[in-house]
């Protein structure tokens, strides 16, 4: 569930047992029934200590204006990660120590992202710009699959429907905007980020109340999208889409409950890759193994020719005079 900076609500963190039936449409990768949450902690530490923590290139230009927030286990408490302007890779030590269930990033860019709070206190942060994000998940495809039963967190049938709906939204959004990024949420759906969306495109801007101006502009564009694709905006998704203080799962970070990452995809990838390929690419264990393999390759290369070893693994050692 995607939270908002003013309403931090969510269901309790629970694990479902493994699927014991033979369901060809399900990828039953759930943990065993009722495991201790601390058993997932080593996975989080391995991932955040070895993986490359970087936002996609389209979002990296204004990274220091984003607000970062983490949801912690086991009580679903929220923690602000900003201490002034920061990059995602600068949060590595904090994420290794905190072991978050998931990491979130704001859709709005702020002058002082560390001051972002609820709607009243966020006026001290002052918004600079905002992105328009369409959230596509299994709630939207439920009416299409009334006779459908799925087990686990990665139902392939639901994900295929979400992928088809995401491609439909992308084709419609491309009529107005060019810089569009799709992110697999790491769970049951996709997030479509419109990065060149401007608050002045659909409404007049009031400098005295910029948050309300952003909301009015999003309401108008949401109405345009809902007129062409009414399935994407039910009551819940409508209020979440137009919220300027909304936060989304941060790309390239771990979703601990599913052991996958929020995977950024371009249009060709989401169109050409199957759902099974997307789930394989988003596997956190695969990324950790690749990072360890790359580290071992660099180590062996440095040991074989003697070059690069000191710079890679002994950068803090003093340089002895020749």
């Amino acid at each position: 569930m995607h939270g908002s900076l003013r309403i931090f609500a969510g269901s309790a963190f629970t694990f479902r047992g493994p699927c014991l039936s033979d369901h060809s449409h399900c990828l039953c990768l759930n943990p065993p029934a009722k495991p201790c949450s601390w058993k997932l902690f080593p996975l989080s530490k391995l991932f955040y200590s070895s993986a490359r923590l970087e936002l996609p290139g389209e979002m990296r230009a204004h990274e220091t204006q984003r607000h970062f927030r983490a949801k912690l286990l086991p009580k679903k408490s929220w923690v602000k990660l900003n201490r002034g302007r920061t990059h995602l890779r600068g949060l590595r030590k904090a994420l290794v120590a905190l072991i978050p269930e998931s990491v979130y990033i704001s859709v709005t860019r702020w002058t002082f992202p560390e001051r972002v709070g609820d709607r009243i206190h966020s006026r001290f942060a002052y918004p600079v710009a905002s992105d328009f994000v369409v959230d596509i998940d299994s709630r939207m495809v439920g009416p299409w699959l009334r006779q459908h039963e799925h087990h686990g967190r990665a139902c392939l049938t639901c994900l295929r429907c979400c992928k088809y709906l995401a491609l439909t939204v992308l084709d419609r959004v491309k009529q107005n905007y060019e810089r569009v990024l799709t992110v697999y949420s790491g769970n049951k759906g996709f997030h479509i980020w419109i990065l060149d969306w401007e608050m002045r495109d659909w409404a007049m801007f009031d400098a005295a109340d910029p948050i309300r101006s952003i909301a009015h502009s999003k309401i108008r564009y949401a109405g345009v999208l809902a007129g062409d694709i009414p399935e994407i905006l039910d009551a819940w998704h409508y209020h979440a889409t137009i919220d300027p203080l909304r936060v989304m799962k941060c790309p390239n970070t771990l979703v601990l409950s599913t052991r996958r990452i929020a995977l950024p995809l371009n249009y060709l990838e989401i169109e050409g890759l199957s759902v099974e390929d997307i789930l394989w690419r988003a596997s956190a264990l695969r990324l950790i193994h690749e990072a360890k393999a790359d580290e071992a390759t660099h180590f062996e290369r440095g040991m074989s020719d003697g070059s690069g070893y000191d710079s890679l693994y002994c950068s803090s050692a003093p340089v002895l005079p020749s």
Side-chain angles (χ1 to χ4, degrees):
M1 178 178 181
H2 304 298
S4 171
L5 292 180
R6 57 188 177 90
I7 302 177
F8 303 126
S11 59
F13 181 73
T14 57
F15 288 102
R16 299 179 183 177
C19 180
L20 302 179
S21 304
D22 182 16
H23 299 280
S24 60
H25 60 278
C26 291
L27 185 64
C28 301
L29 299 177
N30 287 323
K34 297 182 180 179
C36 298
S37 59
W38 58 265
K39 291 184 178 180
L40 292 178
F41 290 178
L43 175 65
S44 176
K45 288 182 176 293
L46 280 174
F47 177 81
Y48 287 116
S49 61
S50 60
R52 293 183 59 188
L53 288 181
E54 288 185 351
L55 290 180
E58 297 88 345
M59 301 178 64
R60 211 173 297 159
H62 305 285
E63 185 175 359
T64 57
Q65 297 176 344
R66 302 281 185 177
H67 176 81
F68 294 94
R69 188 168 288 236
K71 184 162 58 175
L72 306 182
L73 294 173
K75 297 182 179 180
K76 292 287 187 176
S77 57
W78 293 77
V79 174
K80 291 183 181 181
L81 300 177
N82 293 75
R83 297 294 183 267
R85 292 175 174 263
T86 183
H87 295 271
L88 178 61
R89 61 179 178 272
L91 302 175
R92 183 186 300 275
K93 292 183 179 179
L95 295 177
V96 170
L98 291 174
I99 314 177
E101 195 275 332
S102 51
V103 181
Y104 290 82
I105 186 173
S106 63
V107 301
T108 302
R109 304 195 296 268
W110 307 86
T111 52
F112 301 99
E114 69 278 5
R115 299 182 184 177
V116 176
D118 55 19
R119 192 173 297 276
I120 298 176
H121 296 91
S122 292
R123 65 177 182 270
F124 299 109
Y126 200 84
V128 177
S130 183
D131 300 328
F132 193 95
V133 182
V134 181
D135 184 5
I136 298 174
D137 56 27
S138 58
R139 301 183 191 183
M140 298 179 179
V141 301
W144 303 351
L145 304 171
R146 295 188 184 277
Q147 304 300 323
H148 166 68
E149 295 182 1
H150 63 270
H151 299 261
R153 294 179 177 270
C155 176
L156 300 185
T157 302
C158 290
L159 283 177
R160 289 191 186 100
C161 294
C162 290
K163 176 186 171 182
Y164 170 78
L165 191 56
L167 289 172
T168 305
V169 175
L170 285 171
D171 292 336
R172 176 59 185 86
V173 167
K174 287 289 186 179
Q175 299 179 17
N176 303 110
Y177 298 98
E178 296 181 356
R179 296 178 56 216
V180 182
L181 176 68
T182 305
V183 178
Y184 167 61
S185 66
N187 194 358
K188 300 179 182 179
F190 299 89
H191 304 154
I192 298 177
W193 290 70
I194 307 176
L195 301 176
D196 54 349
W197 186 88
E198 295 289 342
M199 65 181 78
R200 295 176 176 84
D201 290 344
W202 302 91
M204 297 293 293
F205 178 72
D206 183 9
D209 196 351
I211 296 179
R212 185 181 295 273
S213 299
I214 295 174
H216 284 172
S217 184
K218 289 191 173 185
I219 287 173
R220 293 196 175 184
Y221 188 57
V224 172
L225 293 181
D228 295 336
I229 315 173
E231 297 86 0
I232 65 172
L233 290 177
D234 54 15
W236 187 91
H237 288 90
Y238 176 79
H239 289 93
T241 300
I242 66 175
D243 188 1
L245 300 178
R246 190 186 186 192
V247 290
M248 303 294 297
K249 284 192 175 70
C250 183
N252 291 326
T253 59
L254 177 66
V255 182
L256 193 58
S257 58
T258 61
R259 301 188 180 110
R260 299 188 184 93
I261 68 167
L263 182 68
L265 302 164
N266 57 38
Y267 184 86
L268 295 178
E269 288 174 334
I270 192 174
E271 184 180 31
L273 292 175
S274 64
V275 170
E276 293 84 353
D277 292 336
I278 293 175
L279 292 177
W280 179 79
R281 285 194 176 193
S283 172
L285 294 175
R286 180 189 67 84
L287 294 172
I288 292 173
H289 292 162
E290 289 183 356
K292 294 297 182 182
D294 292 341
E295 183 178 349
T297 302
H298 286 300
F299 181 80
E300 293 175 358
R301 188 178 303 170
M303 289 294 291
S304 61
D305 58 8
S307 62
Y309 175 73
D310 291 338
S311 61
L312 285 172
Y313 297 94
C314 302
S315 58
S316 60
V319 179
L320 298 178
S322 56

